[in-house]
Amino acid sequence: MKAKKDTEKQLRDALSKIAQVAKAAVNESDYSENGSDEYQDENDSDSAAHAGCTIKSLPDRMQVKAAAFAIQVNPVNAPVLGSLAGGSITEAATFISDPQFLTLLTGKYWGPAPRRLTVSFMEPTAVDLSRRIISHMNAWSTRIGISFVATAGVGQIRISRKPGGYWSYLGTDVLLIPRDRPTMNLEGFSMATPESEYKRVVRHETGHTLGFPHEHMRKELVARIDPAKAYDYFWRTYRWDRATVDAQVLTPLNDRTIIGTPADQTSIMCYQLPGSITRDGRPIIGGVDINATDYTFASRIYPRTGAALETQQDKPSSTDDSWDESEDVPESQIMEAVQAILSQQEDYQETE
């Protein structure tokens, strides 16, 4: 146990030092343009309400803690720092300095043990609507070892339907969100919402909750996008500023950090992008439902087994996306969540 605690401390110290070195290595004005100590809300304007989706980021002060937490939950999440940026420590430090990039470099997958994640709603929600939303979340569960179940209490996954567009936090980050705040937003979803939108949006956002990033941020697809045209398009269409477009569209995932399949523009995790912003004039098709490749990859990350599923109890719902540091989930509760997950992992391994 002592060795385990020492390892955890070393990991936290290492990540902390990386962030400090990185912050000193880059131009301060560049850093402050993309990072702050508050949550960056990309979808406040009404005109942006139905932008494809944004992955929500934790406040900058929590990024190192979130990375350490994700690695404790699932060691496979750890970034291979020595191979980043072609092996250049300076470039790697620059890459990690932006919390958006730290999020990209550290996976947020839940680990292979089967589990149920509890779901609740921030606003009063009719039973038929809540069941419909959760049934679409569980479209993933037909092939993987994670499922979603409604709870009358405060869920680990907390869904709001208020203005703000479509978004979700990524994977294990949801456990670090204060209990009175949502982890996913499905603006305006109702029983009148077309079934095609349930497939396209709910299943996409659930993919983020499972830890899957945006597929259109794969290098092969980002290379097809003309940045000048993208800035103009996303500003006119959704009122996204350049920093948001950079973070959500133009920043490619690092090949060395990807655990997955070749780039797939029909993946449910891929934006539909018009030919007017690509260099070759051809659109990036985008996914409208979970496809065979999505299922194949997801089943590798979260295999189904005969082991009994357990409902994980986490400790970590206001609609304001930022919160005061005093509201951060206490360290003791984070460690309790880690221990609960690790216990599930051990039970799972014993059944193998």
Side-chain angles (χ1 to χ4, degrees), residues 167-182:
W167 53 259
S168 174
Y169 286 94
L170 193 66
T172 56
D173 279 356
V174 303
L175 298 186
L176 301 180
I177 309 304
R179 291 167 64 87
D180 62 345
R181 298 176 184 276

Side-chain angles (χ1 to χ4, degrees), residues 55 204 208 212-222 248-249 251-253 258-271 273 284 286-287 291 293-294 297:
I55 298 176
H204 176 99
H208 290 321
F212 304 146
H214 277 137
E215 183 73 9
H216 63 267
M217 296 177 77
R218 298 288 285 268
K219 183 172 65 177
E220 302 93 318
L221 298 180
V222 172
Q248 299 292 339
V249 181
T251 302
L253 298 169
I258 295 172
I259 307 171
T261 55
D264 177 12
Q265 64 174 311
T266 65
S267 165
I268 187 62
M269 303 313 298
C270 187
Y271 273 173
L273 299 175
I284 292 174
N291 67 18
T293 304
D294 294 327
F297 171 60

